[in-house]
Amino acid sequence: MPDNAAGIPVKIIAVGDELLEGRTADTNSQRIQRAIGGHGVQVALIQVVPDRPSDIVRALDRTEDGDLVFVSGGLGSTPDDLTREVVADWAQAPLAEDPAVRAQLEQRWKKRGLKTSSGADRQSQVPRGMKPVTNPVGSAPALVGRLRGRMLVLLPGVPQELEGLLKPVVLMLHDMGALPQPSPTLLWRTAQAAELNLVKTCADIRARYSNLDWSWWLTDWGVDIRLASRSTTAGPGDLAAAEKELDLVLGRLVYSRRMESLPQVVQRLMLDRRRTLSVAESCTAGLIGGRLTDQPGSSGFFRGGILAYADEIKKEQLGIPAAMLREKGAVSRETAEAMATGCRGKIGTDYAVAVSGISGPDGGTQAKPVGTTWVAVATPVAVFSRQYRFPADRQRNRLLTVAAAIDSVRRVLEGGDDKSPWAADDSWCLPS
Ligand code: AMP
Ligand code: MG
């Protein structure tokens, strides 16, 4: 693989009227960026254009010889899908039916007991010089090839289809020498640490290894940190040395070193240990259970939950004493712990996690301002709880609660049933 591929400018063209009318957010460009991000190339330009030939042509004209160009959208079979024809015309690469694509499309329709749609006529057309890549999710194949000096990749707009195609497309680009070998990168996925705290935690190491490429970004679960030795000034040992130091300072904050989600990690740990989990949710009202069951196979550990949004349900379904609710309040250590133990007993699981909080914008008091949230985890031998003070609006406070609850279960599984999953310096946590 030629090393000079590293210098290739990547340009993305997202085609679709809906993207310019605020109806649909352009998430495809993001997906493309993620898919090629680890490959030592950088996106230089993203253009969002309507389904109009002149606009698509103008966007194509803005790319240059040697660029790697991704075009998303407009490969469907409706009249507004014009990308294939416009690109063929722009590159003077005549369209011709690809019999293998045609056969695949017909087979796909037959399997579903349908007659071939008329869309197959257009979707099996391939511009001369391009190769089709089979769509594992939908019908339109991706098209890849060098035209007018650019390496062009045409992808369907439906995000799931585009996502499914990116892996085989990246492999093909490697084979064609259009992408450099991925530079060595390391990933830390952290939860329950505010970004600023994390930056502080890593500041010393970052200063000593400033020859490495550092990046940080927020996720649904916390903050990811990526280290790469792309920079020409980095020695081969630097990455490994920085890794050791980061592992030490990040410790319990890291839930994974690879691209898996927090619920995936909890699922893996639960299944390995043959343990079960239930949830008692007040302020999140089902969001935690929803995320825990995103993955297939979740029924192997997740049994269910109780959405105890109203105090009556906390009393009736979880056995919270009326006096406790009256004297301590629904958002209190006592209630959160009683919710967790009540849920664990009622549903009959090894573990239960409970949350009760004030997401806002109303309901806060001086003593319990908006963002005050208790998380409790009941294990086979103990119950632990901690008070958080999340700093954001309703939406984000609820997401932070979901991540904190699921991550606290992860920490118990990793640390032991008899140990509190929290430490004194956890972000957003009040001293216990
Ligand atoms: P198309 O392939 O252009 O027919 O797109 C099919 C559907 O995919 C559109 O109706 C949008 O809902 C969605 N879509 C197209 N382009 C994008 C994009 N850049 N980001 C997110 N969704 C998109
Ligand atoms: Mg479209």
Side-chain angles (χ1 to χ4, degrees):
M1 216 345 287
D3 235 17
N4 55 15
I8 299 179
V10 177
K11 296 185 180 162
I12 300 175
I13 303 171
V15 183
D17 289 342
E18 70 278 12
L19 304 172
L20 290 147
E21 290 164 2
R23 279 188 279 138
T24 307
D26 169 28
T27 55
N28 285 349
S29 296
Q30 230 182 330
R31 288 167 204 272
I32 294 166
Q33 285 169 292
R34 272 203 298 263
I36 59 165
H39 295 266
V41 289
Q42 218 153 22
V43 175
L45 178 70
I46 299 176
Q47 303 180 73
V48 181
V49 301
D51 290 291
R52 208 168 34 212
S54 57
D55 289 295
I56 301 174
V57 164
R58 199 170 318 138
L60 287 165
D61 283 339
R62 270 199 209 122
T63 66
E64 289 163 62
D65 219 322
D67 286 351
L68 171 55
V69 181
F70 289 85
V71 185
S72 109
L75 290 186
S77 48
T78 53
D80 63 342
D81 292 313
L82 304 164
T83 302
R84 185 185 296 99
E85 289 77 7
V86 171
V87 168
D89 195 45
W90 173 81
Q92 299 191 326
L95 287 164
E97 180 171 292
D98 183 311
V101 173
R102 173 105 210 170
Q104 256 171 6
L105 290 176
E106 279 179 3
Q107 208 185 5
R108 185 182 144 78
W109 286 86
K110 215 162 95 191
K111 249 203 234 151
R112 298 152 129 204
L114 301 166
K115 287 226 322 245
T116 311
S117 90
S118 57
D121 289 340
R122 285 179 64 206
Q123 295 194 328
S124 52
Q125 301 278 315
V126 176
R128 190 161 70 206
M130 296 195 101
K131 281 190 209 161
V133 180
T134 305
N135 185 330
V137 182
S139 52
L143 300 169
V144 181
R146 198 173 284 285
L147 298 182
R148 278 184 71 169
R150 288 83 159 154
M151 181 58 82
L152 278 173
V153 179
L154 312 187
L155 292 158
V158 179
Q160 293 78 2
E161 297 187 24
L162 177 128
E163 186 77 46
L165 275 160
L166 278 171
K167 215 180 206 167
V169 161
V170 165
L171 283 176
M172 182 182 268
L173 290 171
H174 270 303
D175 288 346
M176 296 167 115
L179 274 179
Q181 287 306 322
S183 56
T185 58
L186 298 172
L187 177 72
W188 287 262
R189 307 207 81 187
T190 73
Q192 302 208 60
E195 198 177 13
L196 273 180
N197 292 5
L198 213 51
V199 169
K200 245 187 257 164
T201 303
C202 301
D204 282 355
I205 305 176
R206 202 175 165 196
R208 271 183 285 115
Y209 295 95
S210 57
N211 53 351
L212 298 174
D213 288 323
W214 293 72
S215 35
W216 319 67
W217 63 95
L218 287 178
T219 73
D220 281 359
W221 314 113
V223 179
D224 282 4
I225 303 175
R226 194 182 61 206
L227 259 190
S229 64
R230 186 180 349 146
S231 153
T232 46
T233 55
D238 288 345
L239 197 60
E243 179 179 24
K244 262 199 202 133
E245 295 194 35
L246 265 187
D247 276 340
L248 271 180
V249 298
L250 294 176
R252 70 182 187 289
L253 301 175
V254 179
Y255 63 85
S256 183
R257 292 293 315 275
R258 51 195 166 90
M259 246 318 161
E260 56 183 349
S261 70
L262 185 52
Q264 272 178 309
V265 172
V266 167
Q267 177 163 325
R268 175 163 54 69
L269 294 171
M270 285 279 177
L271 295 179
D272 281 355
R273 292 163 168 73
R274 297 173 193 280
R275 296 303 185 103
T276 55
L277 175 67
S278 57
V279 295
E281 302 190 48
S282 182
C283 56
T284 49
L287 292 174
I288 301 172
R291 297 318 303 264
L292 284 169
T293 51
D294 277 342
Q295 303 300 319
S298 52
S299 60
F301 78 97
F302 185 73
R303 300 270 293 131
I306 294 167
L307 310 188
Y309 205 60
D311 281 0
E312 290 70 47
I313 307 300
K314 293 187 183 78
K315 281 187 271 190
E316 286 161 21
Q317 302 292 318
L318 290 165
I320 312 298
M324 183 186 283
L325 288 169
R326 207 171 41 240
E327 284 154 29
K328 306 290 181 184
V331 180
S332 65
R333 174 190 296 282
E334 290 78 4
T335 300
E337 291 189 358
M339 284 171 68
T341 40
C343 179
R344 181 174 174 272
K346 177 143 186 180
I347 298 191
T349 48
D350 299 307
Y351 301 89
V353 61
V355 298
S356 184
I358 304 156
S359 307
D362 314 314
T365 63
Q366 189 125 44
K368 296 178 183 176
V370 164
T372 302
T373 304
W374 280 91
V375 175
V377 183
T379 80
V381 298
V383 58
F384 301 101
S385 61
R386 192 69 188 256
Q387 185 181 182
Y388 292 79
R389 220 21 96 69
F390 294 122
D393 62 1
R394 180 180 182 82
Q395 198 67 10
R396 179 125 179 89
N397 284 341
R398 277 152 60 95
L399 293 178
L400 286 167
T401 304
V402 171
I406 299 177
D407 191 57
S408 299
V409 173
R410 189 268 305 176
R411 288 185 180 184
V412 163
L413 291 170
E414 287 181 346
D417 292 351
D418 57 347
K419 288 193 191 65
S420 167
W422 295 283
D425 60 345
D426 272 319
S427 298
W428 304 301
C429 283
L430 266 58
S432 52

